[in-house]
Amino acid sequence: MSELSVKHLLGIKYLNKSDIQLIFETADHFKEVINRSIKKVPSLRDITIANIFFENSTRTKLSFELAEKRLSADVINFSAGQSSVKKGETLIDTVNNILSMKVDMVVMRHPNPGAGIFLSKHVNAAIVNAGDGAHEHPTQALLDSYSIRERFGVVAGKNIVIVGDILHSRVALSNIFALKLQGANVKVCGPKTLMPKYIESLGVTVETDLRKALEWCDVANMLRVQNERMDISYFPTTREYAQQFGVNKALLNSLDKEITIMHPGPINRGVEITSDVADSDQSIILNQVENGVAIRMAVIYLLASKIK
Amino acid sequence: MNILLKSAKIIDAGNSNLHLKIRDIWIKNGKIEKISKKIVPNAQTKIVDNKNLHVSRGWLDTGVSFGEPGYEDRETIKNGLLTAAKSGFTDIILNPDTHPVPDSSSDIIFLKNAAKDSATTLYPLGALTVKSESVDLSELFDMQNSGAVGFYDYKKPVSNSNLLKIALQYAQNFDGLIFSYPLDKNIAGKGIVNEGPVSTKLGLKGMPAMAEELQIARDLFVLQYTGGKLHIPTISTANSVKLIADAKKKKLDVTCSVAIHNLVYTDDKLESFDSKYKVKPPLRGKADIKALISGLKTGVIDFITTDHRPMNIEYKELEFDNAFYGTLGLESAFGVLNKIFDTETAIALLIKGRKRFNITDIEIKEGANVSLTLFDPTYVSEFKKENITSSSKNSMFLDEELKGKVIGIVTKDALLIN
């Protein structure tokens, strides 16, 4: 039986093509499971998972928790707001304390890039990165690619544009790594102020004209403008941002083809995309959310099988 | 004191009579008594006859941090100076990287006193501004009279151009040396590593090379207007080297230094998110390293420094963003430099800087005050944690192969043999 090449899921850049293939095939199975009347399998009855969130999250946390419960794992939740982290405890101490309670796997979201990698070197548990600063958000990229695969049958050869705040986005980075690994063509689009100067070194091209980008693509992945990560103002107003980089239905209708719209959520309606786009048939935003659970079940299942 | 260095090969390019010659050197009462092909010791003489014994003028580091007062858990002055001595440095210039910072004459006197029983001599830098807050100038004249050899707000840029102007003008009356840390704070933003493909891939906040260069360009403009003596510590980019080269062509009185680790490692090292590589200025690219090495060879860059900064594990072994800046440097300095350059060049760099900092020059000749470093340039070893004398162990050179080892130092007060 095939298995993942890694012990942890720290980022897409540490995976190979067959890992992604394996995760997708496993997710296919779990997607069928979560659409049954009994949505649960007993696979991980002997596994305990800690969801450790040092940053606010609603959907990612829920999605992980649901995935873990659907696999019958024991789950504990911990978030920084209610913890000793605020009292000055270090990350290693916090996690080791939790692990002393016999936890097998840690799903962690953290504001610092590389926090999961750091942790994986210092504690004895499988680590799943649920977002580390502006570094990676691997399960998001996996579910995005999985949703593209579901829509088109393949990812290879598809034209994907990622629109918005590339500078502060772990979703953009993980998506770029995942899409390139699977042979898709990737452009990034957004204001220059939110575009890392060296982004093309990752094998993508920069397009600052949204219409041109949309005309080129099969899929537009619209990122949220992350005001909370910005230390200064990178554009004058969200109104002006929306004028240049927001997608509305009129713009979509004026294109020669029907493109697919994705969004990792939560949506700022009226900024990145208007409501009529978010709620249209072209949008697969809610499919992404459903696929998120299947993908996370697959990741956790495959990593747990390496613990055993 | 009665010491005989037996069959020592003298590396002293500034002295053609003795350079590369093998001689016995007899040291008595803090002075070089005799240099000759064969000296017969008397019964009281301590003989140093290590294998492959080489000797040079004592080494100087133009920028070292310890911690005392305030951060004694990082390093004390006494143990810091012992580390320096074991690393071959007879003299070190101490960064004002303490809490509180030395911004008065009595602070400088405290540092000098704390150092006075050590083999290595400590030359303190005073804080340029009161509490290093970049608002009001400290009492520079008074500090200089007490032994400060320059004025520096440690790793803090002088962001207010007028403050730099006033400092450079004011210090001219007493020939004071003003440090300006090369960083435009606004351009650097929250950047913590070099901006480039690596920072992009890792999602770490990058600071563009331009943040350093812009500040240097400004410094040089101000210097051209004011006159005075300016030192720019720890430059790290290729364009910075160009800017300094141009300024020197214009005869501006500017010197600069480079940290040894910036000559060795690129930001590729960050891929592991290992905070031992977190330094300020950050590790840069290959082209920068090439330009920095060439800058040292041509003399555009005046001095090397280890930029030694002991940091206790609680502040270092953290998520990369939260870890403190800095690496140890003293103990690996020779073994690293001696790999980048041939031994003669490495030694030439290690003895440079005394004149700039108004430190009495030294010579290898009969009758001179003794200040010598003893070393073996060919001995190869691996740099291990257990060999570190410093109280902190945050070296980015751990487990690296070093070429050459320090045998010891002889200064006018002490002989220290490893």
Side-chain angles (χ1 to χ4, degrees):
Chain A
M1 188 186 148
S2 48
E3 56 172 31
L4 292 177
S5 66
V6 291
K7 286 200 306 203
H8 313 279
L9 179 65
L10 300 171
I12 300 291
K13 62 169 149 328
Y14 310 107
L15 300 179
N16 60 40
K17 220 168 155 178
S18 359
D19 290 330
I20 293 186
Q21 194 57 38
L22 176 61
I23 292 168
F24 285 177
E25 283 163 11
T26 314
D28 286 340
H29 168 69
F30 286 128
K31 183 152 182 183
E32 185 261 316
V33 167
I34 58 177
N35 282 293
R36 290 180 197 161
S37 53
I38 296 170
K39 302 179 175 58
K40 203 162 172 169
V41 287
S43 322
L44 302 189
R45 271 185 310 197
D46 52 346
I47 293 282
T48 307
I49 301 174
N51 297 317
I52 306 184
F53 279 66
F54 294 96
E55 238 185 18
N56 290 335
S57 160
T58 309
R59 72 193 54 221
T60 304
K61 197 168 159 185
L62 280 179
S63 179
F64 267 109
E65 193 173 341
L66 203 56
E68 292 150 5
K69 287 180 170 166
R70 296 272 190 257
L71 290 166
S72 303
D74 289 320
V75 180
I76 54 170
N77 288 300
F78 169 99
S79 41
Q82 62 203 34
S83 78
S84 45
V85 173
K86 286 203 165 162
K87 299 173 191 161
E89 193 179 43
T90 69
L91 175 60
I92 299 176
D93 285 339
T94 302
V95 175
N96 268 331
N97 270 287
I98 294 168
L99 294 180
S100 306
M101 302 175 208
K102 308 298 168 207
V103 168
D104 307 289
M105 192 183 295
V106 170
V107 174
M108 182 171 78
R109 169 165 289 189
H110 198 282
N112 301 136
I117 292 143
F118 170 73
L119 194 63
S120 71
K121 290 179 195 160
H122 290 93
V123 305
N124 184 24
I127 312 286
V128 180
N129 178 6
D132 59 336
H135 179 221
E136 286 226 35
H137 190 354
T139 54
Q140 180 70 46
L142 288 168
L143 75 89
D144 288 347
S145 285
Y146 185 78
S147 304
I148 294 169
R149 169 181 175 267
E150 191 175 65
R151 181 85 159 189
F152 295 96
V154 287
V155 176
K158 292 290 145 202
N159 292 345
I160 321 289
V161 62
I162 305 171
V163 182
D165 176 1
I166 311 297
L167 186 64
H168 298 94
S169 178
R170 53 193 172 213
V171 176
L173 217 48
S174 283
N175 258 291
I176 290 168
F177 296 137
L179 294 167
K180 295 296 295 180
L181 190 58
Q182 296 170 89
N185 308 308
V186 185
K187 280 188 202 270
V188 287
C189 177
K192 276 276 187 174
T193 48
L194 291 171
M195 198 62 72
K197 186 170 163 63
Y198 295 91
I199 191 74
E200 291 188 334
S201 65
L202 303 181
V204 302
T205 49
V206 174
E207 174 59 69
T208 47
D209 183 328
L210 180 64
R211 167 172 283 279
K212 280 190 194 156
L214 296 180
E215 278 166 353
W216 169 84
C217 75
D218 301 304
V219 178
N221 195 348
M222 307 300 297
L223 301 181
R224 188 170 66 88
V225 174
Q226 304 192 72
N227 289 312
E228 73 276 12
R229 286 188 192 280
M230 297 185 191
D231 45 343
I232 54 165
S233 186
Y234 290 84
F235 48 84
T237 57
T238 46
R239 178 173 169 272
E240 203 166 286
Y241 177 88
Q243 285 171 352
Q244 298 173 83
F245 298 101
V247 172
N248 57 44
K249 198 71 177 128
L251 175 57
L252 284 188
N253 290 342
S254 73
L255 302 174
D256 292 340
K257 57 181 175 183
E258 191 172 294
I259 63 165
T260 299
I261 299 291
M262 297 172 67
H263 193 298
I267 309 171
N268 296 315
R269 283 179 183 252
V271 183
E272 310 92 55
I273 51 176
T274 52
S275 292
D276 51 4
V277 171
D279 304 332
S280 74
D281 293 343
Q282 279 172 265
S283 144
I284 57 166
I285 297 173
L286 293 176
N287 307 50
Q288 288 174 266
V289 179
E290 179 185 344
N291 290 337
V293 178
I295 281 288
R296 289 176 176 120
M297 286 173 79
V299 165
I300 289 164
Y301 174 82
L302 290 167
L303 289 177
S305 67
K306 295 205 74 157
I307 298 173
K308 292 171 191 171
Chain B
M1 182 186 258
N2 181 352
I3 301 159
L4 181 64
L5 308 179
K6 201 76 192 136
S7 305
K9 187 169 185 178
I10 297 169
I11 306 292
D12 192 14
N15 179 349
S16 52
N17 287 333
L18 290 173
H19 186 44
L20 302 177
K21 303 277 163 54
I22 293 177
R23 292 285 183 271
D24 287 358
I25 303 174
W26 187 26
I27 296 148
K28 226 178 136 184
N29 301 329
K31 290 196 185 294
I32 297 177
E33 181 78 11
K34 196 171 177 195
I35 301 174
S36 169
K37 281 188 181 158
K38 190 169 170 65
I39 297 171
V40 181
N42 57 35
Q44 292 80 41
T45 308
K46 157 125 181 101
I47 296 169
V48 178
D49 57 354
N50 292 50
K51 207 176 129 215
N52 203 22
L53 179 63
H54 283 58
V55 61
S56 73
R57 302 184 198 199
W59 302 344
L60 166 73
D61 189 331
T62 59
V64 171
S65 294
F66 292 146
E68 185 180 349
Y71 304 122
E72 288 85 354
D73 45 345
R74 294 180 190 170
E75 185 62 287
T76 59
I77 289 173
K78 192 172 173 211
N79 192 61
L81 288 172
L82 176 66
T83 307
K86 286 168 91 74
S87 311
F89 291 90
T90 54
D91 303 278
I92 61 110
I93 292 172
L94 185 71
N95 288 320
D97 182 18
T98 54
H99 184 73
V101 293
D103 59 1
S104 71
S105 158
S106 58
D107 294 337
I108 298 296
I109 291 166
F110 166 82
L111 295 170
K112 295 288 284 183
N113 280 341
K116 74 174 185 261
D117 295 328
S118 298
T120 293
T121 307
L122 178 153
Y123 296 91
L125 295 173
L128 179 65
T129 60
V130 175
K131 295 184 182 169
S132 288
E133 282 174 346
S134 303
V135 181
D136 300 310
L137 287 184
S138 310
E139 292 186 332
L140 308 183
F141 174 68
D142 205 18
M143 285 198 284
Q144 182 151 320
N145 286 338
S146 301
V149 296
F151 306 103
Y152 183 23
D153 287 342
Y154 176 72
K155 305 263 181 190
K156 277 189 181 172
V158 187
S159 294
N160 178 342
S161 305
N162 193 47
L163 186 64
L164 181 68
K165 168 183 160 252
I166 287 169
L168 282 165
Q169 287 175 325
Y170 180 71
Q172 285 175 45
N173 196 37
F174 47 92
D175 205 24
L177 181 63
I178 303 297
F179 281 52
S180 173
Y181 181 71
L183 188 75
D184 181 309
K185 268 205 297 205
N186 292 315
I187 295 284
K190 290 185 176 166
I192 52 171
V193 299
N194 181 48
E195 181 191 72
V198 176
S199 69
T200 306
K201 190 161 66 169
L202 301 181
L204 289 169
K205 276 210 190 291
M207 57 172 111
M210 176 179 66
E212 176 174 312
E213 295 147 4
L214 211 55
Q215 190 81 350
I216 292 178
R218 183 216 58 174
D219 288 354
L220 297 170
F221 259 95
V222 175
L223 181 66
Q224 191 161 19
Y225 173 89
T226 55
K229 282 165 66 174
L230 178 68
H231 180 64
I232 300 177
T234 59
I235 68 168
S236 68
T237 79
N239 266 329
S240 297
V241 180
K242 264 193 211 155
L243 287 166
I244 304 272
D246 289 347
K248 288 191 166 176
K249 271 188 209 141
K250 290 191 211 154
K251 305 284 179 211
L252 294 184
D253 193 358
V254 60
T255 48
C256 66
S257 67
V258 61
I260 292 175
H261 49 255
N262 281 112
L263 303 173
V264 183
Y265 295 131
T266 62
D267 57 358
D268 288 335
K269 283 281 175 197
L270 303 174
E271 300 252 0
S272 59
F273 288 95
D274 190 335
S275 62
K276 74 179 177 190
Y277 298 107
K278 184 172 175 180
V279 284
K280 194 177 172 179
L283 300 176
R284 305 278 189 189
K286 275 200 186 110
D288 297 304
I289 289 185
K290 205 173 152 212
L292 292 166
I293 290 177
S294 142
L296 277 169
K297 286 182 178 162
T298 56
V300 170
I301 302 177
D302 301 85
F303 319 120
I304 54 97
T305 168
T306 63
D307 207 15
H308 181 82
R309 192 183 199 213
M311 189 54 65
N312 37 332
I313 191 166
E314 291 84 355
Y315 294 100
K316 199 60 184 172
E317 204 161 284
L318 294 174
E319 305 88 302
F320 197 91
D321 276 1
N322 299 337
F324 279 39
Y325 291 103
T327 177
L328 297 183
L330 284 170
E331 287 157 285
S332 49
F334 177 57
V336 172
L337 269 183
N338 194 36
K339 272 170 84 175
I340 307 173
F341 301 101
D342 60 77
T343 301
E344 278 181 56
T345 310
I347 297 301
L349 292 170
L350 284 162
I351 63 172
K352 266 182 99 178
R354 287 186 171 81
K355 193 163 171 248
R356 183 62 169 172
F357 295 93
N358 275 323
I359 298 170
T360 316
D361 213 0
I362 49 171
E363 285 180 281
I364 303 181
K365 66 169 189 192
E366 289 178 1
N369 282 333
V370 61
S371 174
L372 298 172
T373 300
L374 317 178
F375 58 96
D376 171 356
T378 53
Y379 184 89
V380 173
S381 64
E382 205 171 294
F383 188 53
K384 295 307 244 185
K385 206 174 194 167
E386 49 272 24
N387 309 130
I388 293 179
T389 304
S390 175
S391 312
S392 299
K393 311 294 171 199
N394 57 307
S395 171
M396 79 166 76
F397 295 102
L398 277 179
D399 304 323
E400 281 288 326
E401 190 185 272
L402 302 182
K403 187 181 160 209
K405 73 166 177 186
V406 172
I407 293 171
I409 61 169
V410 197
T411 61
K412 67 181 176 22
D413 308 309
L415 163 74
L416 184 137
I417 297 291
N418 280 331

